[in-house]
Each structure stands twice: as structure tokens, then as C-alpha cells.
């Protein structure tokens, strides 16, 4: 990670695991709601000077999260149907709360505050366009692209805190292959707390179930 | 900490769009197309092999009457499903498909094509 005024940092962020359940699906209206919880393990990320830049959290945290997704496939206008809106709202519960000196306001431990975070994502699936609306004869590469615009938001939810409300835009494109996906997005500050420079983030996801269809890709019941 | 959460939030949002189950890659007649004459078959090509025993392709006219005959036959190493059709008169036809890919994930979709007068 490179940020103006800081060293270039490398290494792992804090280890996070998540559990997700989908209690409601409406296929006709392409709508679903899911709930989940993420557990962030403090002090599991990169250490040293680079770790400091990466803000390797000292406190673990639990983050209950609500997700939704709505496709516009039920709209009777062809070019609108490939749009999809997704969103999430989470609440971070810190294990170790930040404490400050009541007289000076200076932090007296390295805890963190509770926080709200959420976001919205608007996507346009060219795969959906070519397979459900109209095949314009675009190449298979183009049909695997999904342009995306996202807005991420965080806000402190307890006092004292060292954080501030932030908004961050992401504008980019996703390419989904059979066994992997690549996403590249420009990160654009949404308010003063997210700086004044445009950044970039790239993600590379591997699908183990497609890479290893005869082991990890099989139902657990068939492993034995 | 806040910045980490921001990046995590951005990372989480796009991931909802990214999965690699069997998607319809091509169809013949093409999705949303207008064709002249009645095709004898319809073929659907997927991005990965599908299990024909757990996959269906139905073609219906505007009244919901089935115009496909028989079960879908797998071709091209399981990536293509082909179904024979009854003679189609001019009109709009809806294709509804449900497939199970070889990694057991289910996907579904529908589209229309038009037979011109």
C-alpha cells in the first residue's frame, strides 16, 4: 500500500473470518437479504514499520453485518435489467475499547472505538446483458466484465475515538473468469477525511472450488 | 483502523458480483435475436460443463405452451445443451433454463427470441 507522506507498506492485514446466512431470497424480483458476522483478529497482520503503516489493529473486533442485493431484471426495459444494487451495513464491536486521559484527552491504551460501516455498490453485468437480454455479439472477454461504482462509509459509534466519519468512492471494473476474478478500482476521496488524492486498489480472487473440483469443489459429504 | 474498514468494505461489495458458476455464454438462436424460419433445435453453451440429468431447457410460446420436445442432450464436453423444437410459427418465444454445473452449483436464467413472419 502506498500513501502520500508514508512509506510503501506490504504484508498481511489482520486475519478476518466471516460467516454468512441467506434468510430471504426472492428470485422473481432478484432480491435477497443476508446476515453475517465477521471476526477480526487483532495483532494478526504485518508488524514492524510496515505493519504500523498498515494499521495492524491491536484490538480484535466482532462485526455483525446485514447485506442486501437487488437486481433490476424485473424492470421491463432491456438495457436497465443488467443493473444490480448491493449494500451492506455493519457495526464493529471492539474487544478493547480506547481509553483516554480525562484531563488531557491523550490515549492511555491502544484500543479502538466501536464503529458503523457500510456501503452501496451499483454494478452493470455484461454477462447478464448477453445471456438474458440481448446478445450483441461482443467477445467472451467483454461479456465477463462488470463495471462498478461503489461508495464505502465509516463512522465512529462510541467515544472516545481517534476515527472520523469517512466516505470513499470506488469506480472500476471486475473481470470474472472460470476460476478467478480480477477487480481494479480507482479510489476517490468522498470527504476531507479520506484525503485529496485518487488511489487505486486491485483485487485477485481465486475460486478453489473450480481450481480443485475433485476435492475442495465437491460437497463435503462426498469427501469420505 | 477506519481506513482498513474502508478498504474491507470496498473489497466486500464487489465480491458479491464475482462468482464462477455455469453462466450462459452463447445461445443459438442468439439471446434477444430475431430469426427467419423455424429452428429445428436450440442450443445453449455454458462457461463450464453442466450435468444434463439435473438440467432443463424449456421453450414456451406466448401462451406458455411447451415447444421443446424431449430432454436436453449434452454436447461439447458437457458445455452445450441441445433441445429439439416443434415447428415454430412467427412470434416471441421464451427460453427458461436451469442447470447444475459439475461442481454441483445451480444457476438459472431466461431469455426470448423472435421468429419473424
Amino acid at each position: 500500500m502506498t500513501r502520500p507522506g508514508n512509506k510503501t507498506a506490504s504484508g498481511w492485514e489482520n486475519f478476518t473470518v466471516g460467516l454468512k446466512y441467506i434468510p430471504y431470497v426472492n428470485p422473481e424480483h432478484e432480491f435477497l437479504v443476508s446476515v453475517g458476522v465477521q471476526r477480526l483478529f487483532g495483532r494478526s497482520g504485518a508488524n514492524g514499520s510496515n505493519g504500523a503503516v498498515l494499521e495492524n489493529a491491536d484490538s480484535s473486533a466482532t462485526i455483525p453485518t446485514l447485506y442486501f442485493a437487488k437486481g433490476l431484471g424485473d424492470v421491463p426495459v432491456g438495457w436497465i435489467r443488467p443493473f444490480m444494487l448491493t449494500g451492506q451495513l455493519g457495526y464493529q464491536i471492539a474487544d478493547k475499547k480506547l481509553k483516554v486521559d480525562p484531563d488531557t484527552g491523550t490515549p492511555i491504551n491502544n484500543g479502538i472505538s466501536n464503529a458503523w460501516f457500510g456501503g452501496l455498490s451499483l454494478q452493470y453485468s455484461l454477462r447478464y446483458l448477453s445471456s438474458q437480454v440481448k446478445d450483441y455479439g461482443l467477445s467472451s472477454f467483454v461479456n465477463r466484465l462488470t463495471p462498478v461504482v461503489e461508495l464505502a462509509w465509516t463512522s465512529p459509534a462510541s467515544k472516545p475515538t481517534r476515527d472520523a466519519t469517512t466516505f470513499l468512492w470506488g469506480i472500476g471494473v471486475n473481470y470474472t473468469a472460470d476460476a478467478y476474478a480480477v477487480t481494479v478500482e480507482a479510489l476517490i476521496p468522498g470527504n476531507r477525511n479520506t484525503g485529496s488524492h485518487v488511489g487505486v486498489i486491485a483485487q485477485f480472487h481465486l475460486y478453489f472450488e473450480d481450481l480443485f473440483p475433485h476435492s475442495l469443489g465437491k460437497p463435503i459429504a462426498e469427501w469420505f | 483502523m477506519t481506513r482498513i474498514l474502508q478498504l474491507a468494505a470496498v473489497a466486500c461489495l464487489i465480491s458479491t458480483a464475482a462468482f464462477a458458476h455455469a453462466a450462459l455464454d452463447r445461445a443459438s438462436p442468439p439471446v434477444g435475436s430475431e430469426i427467419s424460419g423455424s429452428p429445428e433445435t436450440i442450443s445453449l453453451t455454458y462457461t463450464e460443463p453442466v450435468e444434463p440429468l439435473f438440467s432443463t431447457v424449456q421453450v414456451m410460446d406466448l401462451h406458455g405452451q411447451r415447444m421443446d420436445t424431449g430432454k436436453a442432450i449434452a454436447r461439447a464436453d458437457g458445455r452445450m445443451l441441445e433441445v429439439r423444437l416443434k415447428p415454430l410459427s412467427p412470434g416471441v418465444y421464451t427460453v427458461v433454463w436451469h442447470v447444475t454445473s459439475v461442481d454441483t452449483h445451480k444457476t438459472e436464467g431466461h431469455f426470448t427470441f423472435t421468429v419473424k413472419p
Side-chain angles (χ1 to χ4, degrees), chain A residues 9-12 45-57:
Chain A
S10 60
W12 300 101
N47 286 312
S49 58
N50 282 348
V53 175
L54 280 170
E55 299 184 52
N56 182 18

Side-chain angles (χ1 to χ4, degrees), chain B residues 30-47:
Chain B
V31 173
S33 63
E34 293 187 357
I35 59 172
S36 300
S38 175
E40 292 185 359
T41 62
I42 182 167
S43 61
L44 309 181
T45 303
Y46 293 89
T47 55

Side-chain angles (χ1 to χ4, degrees), chain A residues 127 140 144 176-180 207-214 217-218, chain B residues 18-26 44-52 55 74-81 97-107:
Chain A
R127 167 67 71 204
S140 292
R144 290 174 180 270
T176 301
D178 289 343
Y180 67 90
Y207 301 123
F208 284 1
E209 62 200 48
D210 292 290
L211 288 171
F212 310 107
H214 303 297
K218 288 172 63 176
Chain B
F19 59 88
H21 306 333
L24 181 62
D25 191 32
R26 299 288 176 201
L44 309 181
T45 303
Y46 293 89
T47 55
E48 58 185 73
V50 299
E51 283 286 354
S55 304
R75 301 194 188 284
D77 295 332
R79 288 177 180 266
M80 178 191 289
L81 291 178
W97 56 266
H98 297 77
V99 299
T100 302
S101 57
V102 293
D103 60 7
T104 71
H105 288 120
K106 296 177 181 178
T107 50

Side-chain angles (χ1 to χ4, degrees), chain B residues 64-76:
Chain B
Q65 185 170 352
R66 293 278 296 274
M67 303 305 291
D68 53 284
T69 62
K71 296 201 66 160
I73 300 169
R75 301 194 188 284

